[in-house]
Amino acid sequence: MTTRANHPSDTQDAQDAQRRTTRREALLRRVFRLSLLAKAAHSVLELAAGLALHWTSSDAIARAARGFAGHELLEHPDDRIAQALVRAAQSFSVDQQAAAVAYLTSHGAVEIFLVAMILRERLWAYPLYMAALGLLIAYQGYQLALAFHLWLAALTLFDAAVVWLTWHEYRVRRALRRPG
């Protein structure tokens, strides 16, 4: 059996494959970093909303809802969305407000911290971030099972994509840190 000697086209094929892999990895890294920045921006908004909610009274929330929906209800008294907003604000209890504040501030703060650590390439943060997102995805799945909302389904798919991108980036970063 004869073996073929290295042919110049074999070397060229290997170089082309390497370039494609390098371009793919660079694209995945850019998408990963952009997704982290999007998650961080969302978390800053969550944290700000949680803090604002903490300092806002239930009466102020009900007044704001009436002010926001009042004009719409004058023009369209049967507007179900405006009616639901006013009803929800009026029945918003202190316990519900405390739960919302706790959720928004804790989720926002934890995610901001973990994203910052990942952007600093702290390897320990990658598995923690994937676990936190996994718990969030499970909760979102539960909420979707109770009542389907397209925006929540889209957010859940985005979070699942971020988990995959985080896992991929973690494997790459870990391999680069291994000796030899």
Side-chain angles (χ1 to χ4, degrees):
M1 176 172 185
T2 58
T3 59
R4 188 174 126 185
N6 281 347
H7 192 271
S9 68
D10 292 342
T11 304
Q12 184 63 40
D13 290 345
Q15 289 172 346
D16 288 345
Q18 180 61 38
R19 273 194 292 276
R20 281 191 304 274
T21 299
T22 302
R23 279 195 303 266
R24 178 180 174 269
E25 287 302 320
L27 176 63
L28 282 173
R29 183 153 173 80
R30 268 194 306 275
V31 170
F32 172 66
R33 292 179 75 76
L34 286 173
S35 71
L36 285 181
L37 293 175
K39 293 294 286 178
H42 179 257
S43 296
V44 166
L45 291 175
E46 277 185 325
L47 188 56
L51 293 173
L53 188 57
H54 175 72
W55 297 109
T56 305
S57 71
S58 297
D59 289 339
I61 293 169
R63 279 193 311 273
R66 281 191 304 272
F68 181 74
H71 179 70
E72 183 64 25
L73 287 172
L74 286 175
E75 287 184 19
H76 307 285
D78 295 332
D79 186 324
R80 290 185 179 168
I81 294 173
Q83 289 174 351
L85 176 65
V86 171
R87 264 194 317 275
Q90 289 172 339
S91 66
F92 195 54
S93 72
V94 173
D95 289 342
Q96 289 171 322
Q97 185 174 358
V101 167
Y103 173 81
L104 290 169
T105 56
S106 64
H107 181 261
V110 166
E111 190 157 32
I112 290 168
F113 173 73
L114 289 173
V115 166
M117 292 300 102
I118 288 172
L119 289 173
R120 296 179 76 188
E121 295 185 3
R122 302 291 196 261
L123 285 182
W124 57 265
Y126 290 77
L128 286 176
Y129 187 58
M130 289 183 285
L133 277 178
L135 290 172
L136 180 63
I137 289 168
Y139 177 72
Q140 289 169 332
Y142 168 73
Q143 291 296 320
L144 285 168
L146 293 177
F148 183 81
H149 298 283
L150 187 58
W151 65 269
L152 185 57
L155 184 61
T156 303
L157 289 174
F158 177 73
D159 287 340
V162 173
V163 168
W164 183 87
L165 287 166
T166 304
W167 171 78
H168 177 79
E169 186 69 15
Y170 176 64
R171 288 181 54 225
V172 169
R173 295 289 130 222
R174 202 173 62 190
L176 290 174
R177 297 229 175 137
R178 283 195 191 125

